[in-house]
Amino acid sequence: MEINEMEEMFNANHIDVNINELISLFFKDKKVKKKDVMKLYLDFYQFMKFALNKEQDFRLFMRNIE
C-alpha cells in the first residue's frame, strides 16, 4: 500500500491524518527526501511486521491525532 493510499484509508475511516504524520508513524527510522515521499509504501509483510512489533507506537500516534 502506497503512502497516499494509506492516507486515503485513514481519512475514509474518519481518522484525520496527513502524509507527514503517516511517515512519522510508519517510516520514523528512515530518512526520506521530499522527492521520494510518494514512492513510500508498505507491502503486506511490512505492514504485518509493523502491526505486531509497533503496537505501542500506533497507540501513541492515535492518541496524538485525536
Side-chain angles (χ1 to χ4, degrees), residues 13-35:
N13 287 287
H14 307 288
I15 303 170
D16 188 28
V17 297
N18 62 48
I19 288 178
N20 291 326
E21 291 169 323
L22 293 175
I23 290 170
S24 71
L25 174 64
F26 292 109
F27 304 99
K28 74 177 182 179
D29 297 328
K30 186 175 182 175
K31 294 190 186 235
V32 181
K33 296 178 183 176
K34 281 190 173 190
K35 67 179 183 134

Side-chain angles (χ1 to χ4, degrees), residues 32-65:
V32 181
K33 296 178 183 176
K34 281 190 173 190
K35 67 179 183 134
D36 295 329
V37 165
M38 297 311 285
K39 295 177 185 176
L40 293 172
Y41 71 94
L42 292 176
D43 62 25
F44 181 75
Y45 173 76
Q46 292 167 317
F47 184 79
M48 290 305 296
K49 185 177 173 184
F50 177 87
L52 294 171
N53 296 323
K54 303 288 186 172
E55 179 180 354
Q56 186 63 26
D57 288 349
F58 185 72
R59 285 183 186 170
L60 291 173
F61 175 79
M62 291 302 292
R63 285 185 190 141
N64 288 331
I65 62 169

